[in-house]
Amino acid sequence: MKILLPPSETKHPGGAGAPLVVDELALSGLAAERQAVIDALVDLSADEDTARRVLGLSARQAGEVEHNRMLRTAATMPAADRYTGVLYDALDAASLSPASRRWLGSHVWIHSAPFGPVGALDTIPAYRLSAGTSLPGLKALRRHWAEATTAAIGVEAPSFVLDLRSEAYVALGPVPASVPSAYVRVVTSQGRALNHFNKKSKGLLVRALAQQRPRFGTLRGLRTWAAANDFQFRDADERGVLELVVDE
């Protein structure tokens, strides 16, 4: 099984790892696409005012432009530790045991805008780029990433993919139809979609999986594990969509 997670706009700064090595990231077939986005971000960041306008940043957020300027040379940290926010606070990867962190590294991809899906323990620098941004000199990120990312997932995915991404990041690389998968939406028992609890529930789900490290690779296996661990899934109307039912 592979799990696809969205990134977070907020991130921990700094890091103790060596600078980014694109060829060492998961889904290595995306190296050319990654390098193109990195080049575009670094070039954009040479002009702070233009970069702030394109990225939608305020004067207070000028440091985010510097992060992009330093993408090739900045210190790195594991992706699962880099991101902050509701989902990643609930996952709390730093507090997991070494065995659970290894499970994350083997089973979780985090889908970033500049690097595409990366392994949870792949080391990345801090950056600022969202899925909906259009970079000068580069076609829209959806057009840049989608075909190549879908193909790469098809090559490297196992028998089942659990897709916990937001719709914006699904658009950057849908799971190919040839790979069995389920897209998860978090709802109340009455069927109302959630936002804050959506992110928190996904983080708690992945944390529980990492702690228990179950050995299943099918949707049926996921359902069996979930039923035994207080996670309630039900089918939605749309084909391939699962609803994770939670209390508000």
PDB file of all heavy atoms in Angstrom, residues 12-22 24-25 70-82 115 121-127:
ATOM      1  N   HIS A  12       8.251  24.033   9.017  1.00  0.00           N
ATOM      2  CA  HIS A  12       9.353  24.336   9.916  1.00  0.00           C
ATOM      3  C   HIS A  12      10.516  24.890   9.095  1.00  0.00           C
ATOM      4  O   HIS A  12      10.814  24.374   8.022  1.00  0.00           O
ATOM      5  CB  HIS A  12       9.819  23.074  10.642  1.00  0.00           C
ATOM      6  CG  HIS A  12       8.861  22.582  11.681  1.00  0.00           C
ATOM      7  ND1 HIS A  12       8.554  23.297  12.815  1.00  0.00           N
ATOM      8  CD2 HIS A  12       8.152  21.422  11.759  1.00  0.00           C
ATOM      9  CE1 HIS A  12       7.689  22.613  13.556  1.00  0.00           C
ATOM     10  NE2 HIS A  12       7.421  21.490  12.937  1.00  0.00           N
ATOM     11  N   PRO A  13      11.193  25.919   9.579  1.00  0.00           N
ATOM     12  CA  PRO A  13      12.351  26.446   8.855  1.00  0.00           C
ATOM     13  C   PRO A  13      13.595  25.622   9.146  1.00  0.00           C
ATOM     14  O   PRO A  13      13.603  24.753  10.021  1.00  0.00           O
ATOM     15  CB  PRO A  13      12.486  27.861   9.425  1.00  0.00           C
ATOM     16  CG  PRO A  13      12.004  27.708  10.850  1.00  0.00           C
ATOM     17  CD  PRO A  13      10.879  26.699  10.788  1.00  0.00           C
ATOM     18  N   GLY A  14      14.665  25.924   8.418  1.00  0.00           N
ATOM     19  CA  GLY A  14      15.958  25.330   8.717  1.00  0.00           C
ATOM     20  C   GLY A  14      16.073  23.867   8.372  1.00  0.00           C
ATOM     21  O   GLY A  14      15.448  23.372   7.447  1.00  0.00           O
ATOM     22  N   GLY A  15      16.867  23.178   9.171  1.00  0.00           N
ATOM     23  CA  GLY A  15      17.125  21.766   8.935  1.00  0.00           C
ATOM     24  C   GLY A  15      18.586  21.448   9.168  1.00  0.00           C
ATOM     25  O   GLY A  15      19.432  22.347   9.227  1.00  0.00           O
ATOM     26  N   ALA A  16      18.888  20.163   9.295  1.00  0.00           N
ATOM     27  CA  ALA A  16      20.261  19.729   9.527  1.00  0.00           C
ATOM     28  C   ALA A  16      20.792  18.873   8.396  1.00  0.00           C
ATOM     29  O   ALA A  16      21.931  18.411   8.448  1.00  0.00           O
ATOM     30  CB  ALA A  16      20.343  18.945  10.849  1.00  0.00           C
ATOM     31  N   GLY A  17      19.970  18.646   7.369  1.00  0.00           N
ATOM     32  CA  GLY A  17      20.373  17.791   6.277  1.00  0.00           C
ATOM     33  C   GLY A  17      21.136  18.535   5.193  1.00  0.00           C
ATOM     34  O   GLY A  17      21.076  19.758   5.081  1.00  0.00           O
ATOM     35  N   ALA A  18      21.848  17.777   4.375  1.00  0.00           N
ATOM     36  CA  ALA A  18      22.576  18.349   3.246  1.00  0.00           C
ATOM     37  C   ALA A  18      21.597  18.928   2.233  1.00  0.00           C
ATOM     38  O   ALA A  18      20.408  18.586   2.240  1.00  0.00           O
ATOM     39  CB  ALA A  18      23.425  17.265   2.596  1.00  0.00           C
ATOM     40  N   PRO A  19      22.062  19.809   1.355  1.00  0.00           N
ATOM     41  CA  PRO A  19      21.164  20.396   0.347  1.00  0.00           C
ATOM     42  C   PRO A  19      20.469  19.348  -0.510  1.00  0.00           C
ATOM     43  O   PRO A  19      20.919  18.200  -0.623  1.00  0.00           O
ATOM     44  CB  PRO A  19      22.113  21.270  -0.491  1.00  0.00           C
ATOM     45  CG  PRO A  19      23.197  21.647   0.459  1.00  0.00           C
ATOM     46  CD  PRO A  19      23.406  20.426   1.320  1.00  0.00           C
ATOM     47  N   LEU A  20      19.387  19.756  -1.095  1.00  0.00           N
ATOM     48  CA  LEU A  20      18.530  18.887  -1.898  1.00  0.00           C
ATOM     49  C   LEU A  20      19.302  18.207  -3.023  1.00  0.00           C
ATOM     50  O   LEU A  20      20.064  18.844  -3.752  1.00  0.00           O
ATOM     51  CB  LEU A  20      17.397  19.720  -2.500  1.00  0.00           C
ATOM     52  CG  LEU A  20      16.421  19.000  -3.428  1.00  0.00           C
ATOM     53  CD1 LEU A  20      15.551  18.030  -2.634  1.00  0.00           C
ATOM     54  CD2 LEU A  20      15.547  20.026  -4.154  1.00  0.00           C
ATOM     55  N   VAL A  21      19.070  16.891  -3.153  1.00  0.00           N
ATOM     56  CA  VAL A  21      19.583  16.130  -4.291  1.00  0.00           C
ATOM     57  C   VAL A  21      18.363  15.555  -4.992  1.00  0.00           C
ATOM     58  O   VAL A  21      17.747  14.603  -4.521  1.00  0.00           O
ATOM     59  CB  VAL A  21      20.539  15.002  -3.850  1.00  0.00           C
ATOM     60  CG1 VAL A  21      21.021  14.225  -5.085  1.00  0.00           C
ATOM     61  CG2 VAL A  21      21.721  15.572  -3.080  1.00  0.00           C
ATOM     62  N   VAL A  22      17.996  16.141  -6.112  1.00  0.00           N
ATOM     63  CA  VAL A  22      16.763  15.772  -6.801  1.00  0.00           C
ATOM     64  C   VAL A  22      16.729  14.297  -7.148  1.00  0.00           C
ATOM     65  O   VAL A  22      15.692  13.633  -7.033  1.00  0.00           O
ATOM     66  CB  VAL A  22      16.586  16.645  -8.061  1.00  0.00           C
ATOM     67  CG1 VAL A  22      15.478  16.112  -8.950  1.00  0.00           C
ATOM     68  CG2 VAL A  22      16.296  18.086  -7.664  1.00  0.00           C
ATOM     69  N   GLU A  24      17.714  11.831  -5.614  1.00  0.00           N
ATOM     70  CA  GLU A  24      17.525  10.935  -4.477  1.00  0.00           C
ATOM     71  C   GLU A  24      16.080  10.910  -3.971  1.00  0.00           C
ATOM     72  O   GLU A  24      15.765  10.156  -3.054  1.00  0.00           O
ATOM     73  CB  GLU A  24      18.474  11.325  -3.341  1.00  0.00           C
ATOM     74  CG  GLU A  24      19.941  11.102  -3.675  1.00  0.00           C
ATOM     75  CD  GLU A  24      20.872  11.467  -2.541  1.00  0.00           C
ATOM     76  OE1 GLU A  24      20.371  11.970  -1.499  1.00  0.00           O
ATOM     77  OE2 GLU A  24      22.089  11.266  -2.690  1.00  0.00           O
ATOM     78  N   LEU A  25      15.211  11.715  -4.563  1.00  0.00           N
ATOM     79  CA  LEU A  25      13.816  11.734  -4.144  1.00  0.00           C
ATOM     80  C   LEU A  25      13.064  10.531  -4.700  1.00  0.00           C
ATOM     81  O   LEU A  25      13.440   9.953  -5.727  1.00  0.00           O
ATOM     82  CB  LEU A  25      13.143  13.021  -4.624  1.00  0.00           C
ATOM     83  CG  LEU A  25      13.717  14.341  -4.097  1.00  0.00           C
ATOM     84  CD1 LEU A  25      13.011  15.520  -4.757  1.00  0.00           C
ATOM     85  CD2 LEU A  25      13.600  14.426  -2.578  1.00  0.00           C
ATOM     86  N   MET A  70      16.970  30.041  -2.204  1.00  0.00           N
ATOM     87  CA  MET A  70      18.015  29.157  -1.681  1.00  0.00           C
ATOM     88  C   MET A  70      17.690  27.675  -1.859  1.00  0.00           C
ATOM     89  O   MET A  70      18.295  26.822  -1.213  1.00  0.00           O
ATOM     90  CB  MET A  70      18.226  29.462  -0.191  1.00  0.00           C
ATOM     91  CG  MET A  70      18.609  30.903   0.113  1.00  0.00           C
ATOM     92  SD  MET A  70      20.201  31.357  -0.611  1.00  0.00           S
ATOM     93  CE  MET A  70      21.295  30.336   0.393  1.00  0.00           C
ATOM     94  N   LEU A  71      16.746  27.342  -2.722  1.00  0.00           N
ATOM     95  CA  LEU A  71      16.300  25.950  -2.842  1.00  0.00           C
ATOM     96  C   LEU A  71      17.436  24.969  -3.100  1.00  0.00           C
ATOM     97  O   LEU A  71      17.415  23.839  -2.605  1.00  0.00           O
ATOM     98  CB  LEU A  71      15.275  25.825  -3.979  1.00  0.00           C
ATOM     99  CG  LEU A  71      13.828  26.184  -3.665  1.00  0.00           C
ATOM    100  CD1 LEU A  71      12.974  26.044  -4.917  1.00  0.00           C
ATOM    101  CD2 LEU A  71      13.278  25.303  -2.554  1.00  0.00           C
ATOM    102  N   ARG A  72      18.416  25.367  -3.881  1.00  0.00           N
ATOM    103  CA  ARG A  72      19.483  24.437  -4.260  1.00  0.00           C
ATOM    104  C   ARG A  72      20.542  24.265  -3.170  1.00  0.00           C
ATOM    105  O   ARG A  72      21.281  23.283  -3.184  1.00  0.00           O
ATOM    106  CB  ARG A  72      20.167  24.912  -5.533  1.00  0.00           C
ATOM    107  CG  ARG A  72      19.266  24.962  -6.762  1.00  0.00           C
ATOM    108  CD  ARG A  72      20.107  25.172  -8.020  1.00  0.00           C
ATOM    109  NE  ARG A  72      19.283  25.360  -9.192  1.00  0.00           N
ATOM    110  CZ  ARG A  72      19.018  26.554  -9.757  1.00  0.00           C
ATOM    111  NH1 ARG A  72      19.529  27.659  -9.210  1.00  0.00           N
ATOM    112  NH2 ARG A  72      18.267  26.637 -10.833  1.00  0.00           N
ATOM    113  N   THR A  73      20.624  25.223  -2.247  1.00  0.00           N
ATOM    114  CA  THR A  73      21.723  25.201  -1.277  1.00  0.00           C
ATOM    115  C   THR A  73      21.282  25.133   0.180  1.00  0.00           C
ATOM    116  O   THR A  73      22.107  24.913   1.064  1.00  0.00           O
ATOM    117  CB  THR A  73      22.606  26.449  -1.460  1.00  0.00           C
ATOM    118  OG1 THR A  73      21.795  27.629  -1.286  1.00  0.00           O
ATOM    119  CG2 THR A  73      23.238  26.477  -2.846  1.00  0.00           C
ATOM    120  N   ALA A  74      19.994  25.311   0.450  1.00  0.00           N
ATOM    121  CA  ALA A  74      19.508  25.359   1.834  1.00  0.00           C
ATOM    122  C   ALA A  74      19.579  23.994   2.502  1.00  0.00           C
ATOM    123  O   ALA A  74      19.570  22.944   1.842  1.00  0.00           O
ATOM    124  CB  ALA A  74      18.067  25.873   1.851  1.00  0.00           C
ATOM    125  N   ALA A  75      19.621  24.013   3.824  1.00  0.00           N
ATOM    126  CA  ALA A  75      19.571  22.784   4.593  1.00  0.00           C
ATOM    127  C   ALA A  75      18.206  22.119   4.424  1.00  0.00           C
ATOM    128  O   ALA A  75      17.204  22.775   4.133  1.00  0.00           O
ATOM    129  CB  ALA A  75      19.841  23.077   6.069  1.00  0.00           C
ATOM    130  N   THR A  76      18.167  20.822   4.622  1.00  0.00           N
ATOM    131  CA  THR A  76      16.937  20.061   4.436  1.00  0.00           C
ATOM    132  C   THR A  76      16.553  19.310   5.707  1.00  0.00           C
ATOM    133  O   THR A  76      17.346  19.185   6.645  1.00  0.00           O
ATOM    134  CB  THR A  76      17.102  19.039   3.296  1.00  0.00           C
ATOM    135  OG1 THR A  76      18.175  18.147   3.626  1.00  0.00           O
ATOM    136  CG2 THR A  76      17.401  19.732   1.963  1.00  0.00           C
ATOM    137  N   MET A  77      15.326  18.805   5.713  1.00  0.00           N
ATOM    138  CA  MET A  77      14.870  17.894   6.761  1.00  0.00           C
ATOM    139  C   MET A  77      13.833  16.968   6.132  1.00  0.00           C
ATOM    140  O   MET A  77      13.308  17.260   5.051  1.00  0.00           O
ATOM    141  CB  MET A  77      14.289  18.642   7.960  1.00  0.00           C
ATOM    142  CG  MET A  77      12.975  19.345   7.714  1.00  0.00           C
ATOM    143  SD  MET A  77      12.259  20.069   9.243  1.00  0.00           S
ATOM    144  CE  MET A  77      13.450  21.346   9.642  1.00  0.00           C
ATOM    145  N   PRO A  78      13.542  15.809   6.763  1.00  0.00           N
ATOM    146  CA  PRO A  78      12.540  14.898   6.198  1.00  0.00           C
ATOM    147  C   PRO A  78      11.215  15.604   5.956  1.00  0.00           C
ATOM    148  O   PRO A  78      10.771  16.422   6.769  1.00  0.00           O
ATOM    149  CB  PRO A  78      12.428  13.809   7.264  1.00  0.00           C
ATOM    150  CG  PRO A  78      13.762  13.799   7.932  1.00  0.00           C
ATOM    151  CD  PRO A  78      14.177  15.246   7.973  1.00  0.00           C
ATOM    152  N   ALA A  79      10.579  15.277   4.843  1.00  0.00           N
ATOM    153  CA  ALA A  79       9.332  15.949   4.475  1.00  0.00           C
ATOM    154  C   ALA A  79       8.282  15.845   5.574  1.00  0.00           C
ATOM    155  O   ALA A  79       7.556  16.805   5.845  1.00  0.00           O
ATOM    156  CB  ALA A  79       8.796  15.365   3.171  1.00  0.00           C
ATOM    157  N   ALA A  80       8.179  14.693   6.216  1.00  0.00           N
ATOM    158  CA  ALA A  80       7.174  14.507   7.262  1.00  0.00           C
ATOM    159  C   ALA A  80       7.420  15.422   8.456  1.00  0.00           C
ATOM    160  O   ALA A  80       6.492  15.711   9.220  1.00  0.00           O
ATOM    161  CB  ALA A  80       7.146  13.052   7.717  1.00  0.00           C
ATOM    162  N   ASP A  81       8.665  15.868   8.637  1.00  0.00           N
ATOM    163  CA  ASP A  81       9.001  16.788   9.720  1.00  0.00           C
ATOM    164  C   ASP A  81       8.962  18.240   9.256  1.00  0.00           C
ATOM    165  O   ASP A  81       8.814  19.149  10.075  1.00  0.00           O
ATOM    166  CB  ASP A  81      10.395  16.481  10.259  1.00  0.00           C
ATOM    167  CG  ASP A  81      10.518  15.063  10.803  1.00  0.00           C
ATOM    168  OD1 ASP A  81       9.532  14.570  11.385  1.00  0.00           O
ATOM    169  OD2 ASP A  81      11.586  14.450  10.628  1.00  0.00           O
ATOM    170  N   ARG A  82       9.119  18.449   7.969  1.00  0.00           N
ATOM    171  CA  ARG A  82       9.144  19.821   7.429  1.00  0.00           C
ATOM    172  C   ARG A  82       7.781  20.509   7.569  1.00  0.00           C
ATOM    173  O   ARG A  82       7.692  21.670   7.953  1.00  0.00           O
ATOM    174  CB  ARG A  82       9.549  19.774   5.943  1.00  0.00           C
ATOM    175  CG  ARG A  82       9.452  21.096   5.203  1.00  0.00           C
ATOM    176  CD  ARG A  82      10.472  22.094   5.710  1.00  0.00           C
ATOM    177  NE  ARG A  82      11.829  21.733   5.324  1.00  0.00           N
ATOM    178  CZ  ARG A  82      12.909  22.341   5.805  1.00  0.00           C
ATOM    179  NH1 ARG A  82      12.780  23.309   6.709  1.00  0.00           N
ATOM    180  NH2 ARG A  82      14.115  21.977   5.415  1.00  0.00           N
ATOM    181  N   PHE A 115       8.221  19.712  -5.973  1.00  0.00           N
ATOM    182  CA  PHE A 115       8.953  18.460  -6.114  1.00  0.00           C
ATOM    183  C   PHE A 115       8.085  17.280  -6.538  1.00  0.00           C
ATOM    184  O   PHE A 115       8.595  16.173  -6.739  1.00  0.00           O
ATOM    185  CB  PHE A 115       9.663  18.105  -4.802  1.00  0.00           C
ATOM    186  CG  PHE A 115      10.401  19.250  -4.176  1.00  0.00           C
ATOM    187  CD1 PHE A 115      10.101  19.673  -2.885  1.00  0.00           C
ATOM    188  CD2 PHE A 115      11.385  19.933  -4.874  1.00  0.00           C
ATOM    189  CE1 PHE A 115      10.768  20.736  -2.308  1.00  0.00           C
ATOM    190  CE2 PHE A 115      12.058  21.001  -4.304  1.00  0.00           C
ATOM    191  CZ  PHE A 115      11.747  21.408  -3.021  1.00  0.00           C
ATOM    192  N   LEU A 121      10.214  10.453   4.263  1.00  0.00           N
ATOM    193  CA  LEU A 121      11.521  10.695   4.869  1.00  0.00           C
ATOM    194  C   LEU A 121      12.527  11.280   3.885  1.00  0.00           C
ATOM    195  O   LEU A 121      13.698  11.470   4.231  1.00  0.00           O
ATOM    196  CB  LEU A 121      12.073   9.396   5.477  1.00  0.00           C
ATOM    197  CG  LEU A 121      11.234   8.775   6.608  1.00  0.00           C
ATOM    198  CD1 LEU A 121      11.971   7.590   7.219  1.00  0.00           C
ATOM    199  CD2 LEU A 121      10.878   9.803   7.682  1.00  0.00           C
ATOM    200  N   ASP A 122      12.103  11.546   2.654  1.00  0.00           N
ATOM    201  CA  ASP A 122      12.967  12.277   1.728  1.00  0.00           C
ATOM    202  C   ASP A 122      13.237  13.657   2.306  1.00  0.00           C
ATOM    203  O   ASP A 122      12.325  14.314   2.832  1.00  0.00           O
ATOM    204  CB  ASP A 122      12.297  12.440   0.365  1.00  0.00           C
ATOM    205  CG  ASP A 122      12.258  11.154  -0.438  1.00  0.00           C
ATOM    206  OD1 ASP A 122      12.872  10.158   0.002  1.00  0.00           O
ATOM    207  OD2 ASP A 122      11.621  11.152  -1.511  1.00  0.00           O
ATOM    208  N   THR A 123      14.461  14.126   2.215  1.00  0.00           N
ATOM    209  CA  THR A 123      14.801  15.421   2.801  1.00  0.00           C
ATOM    210  C   THR A 123      14.621  16.534   1.779  1.00  0.00           C
ATOM    211  O   THR A 123      15.103  16.458   0.656  1.00  0.00           O
ATOM    212  CB  THR A 123      16.245  15.423   3.329  1.00  0.00           C
ATOM    213  OG1 THR A 123      17.152  15.063   2.286  1.00  0.00           O
ATOM    214  CG2 THR A 123      16.386  14.432   4.483  1.00  0.00           C
ATOM    215  N   ILE A 124      13.895  17.572   2.199  1.00  0.00           N
ATOM    216  CA  ILE A 124      13.586  18.700   1.321  1.00  0.00           C
ATOM    217  C   ILE A 124      13.828  20.018   2.050  1.00  0.00           C
ATOM    218  O   ILE A 124      13.757  20.085   3.275  1.00  0.00           O
ATOM    219  CB  ILE A 124      12.127  18.645   0.815  1.00  0.00           C
ATOM    220  CG1 ILE A 124      11.149  18.699   1.985  1.00  0.00           C
ATOM    221  CG2 ILE A 124      11.896  17.393  -0.038  1.00  0.00           C
ATOM    222  CD1 ILE A 124       9.687  18.850   1.567  1.00  0.00           C
ATOM    223  N   PRO A 125      14.107  21.089   1.311  1.00  0.00           N
ATOM    224  CA  PRO A 125      14.263  22.410   1.936  1.00  0.00           C
ATOM    225  C   PRO A 125      12.913  23.072   2.162  1.00  0.00           C
ATOM    226  O   PRO A 125      11.883  22.630   1.634  1.00  0.00           O
ATOM    227  CB  PRO A 125      15.078  23.180   0.888  1.00  0.00           C
ATOM    228  CG  PRO A 125      14.622  22.581  -0.416  1.00  0.00           C
ATOM    229  CD  PRO A 125      14.379  21.108  -0.137  1.00  0.00           C
ATOM    230  N   ALA A 126      12.919  24.150   2.910  1.00  0.00           N
ATOM    231  CA  ALA A 126      11.721  24.980   3.036  1.00  0.00           C
ATOM    232  C   ALA A 126      11.478  25.684   1.703  1.00  0.00           C
ATOM    233  O   ALA A 126      12.419  25.994   0.962  1.00  0.00           O
ATOM    234  CB  ALA A 126      11.899  26.007   4.145  1.00  0.00           C
ATOM    235  N   TYR A 127      10.216  25.929   1.385  1.00  0.00           N
ATOM    236  CA  TYR A 127       9.871  26.579   0.124  1.00  0.00           C
ATOM    237  C   TYR A 127       8.499  27.220   0.273  1.00  0.00           C
ATOM    238  O   TYR A 127       7.776  26.974   1.235  1.00  0.00           O
ATOM    239  CB  TYR A 127       9.841  25.563  -1.027  1.00  0.00           C
ATOM    240  CG  TYR A 127       8.702  24.562  -0.905  1.00  0.00           C
ATOM    241  CD1 TYR A 127       7.434  24.838  -1.428  1.00  0.00           C
ATOM    242  CD2 TYR A 127       8.869  23.352  -0.234  1.00  0.00           C
ATOM    243  CE1 TYR A 127       6.378  23.930  -1.285  1.00  0.00           C
ATOM    244  CE2 TYR A 127       7.825  22.447  -0.088  1.00  0.00           C
ATOM    245  CZ  TYR A 127       6.588  22.744  -0.615  1.00  0.00           C
ATOM    246  OH  TYR A 127       5.539  21.864  -0.471  1.00  0.00           O
TER     247      TYR A 127
END
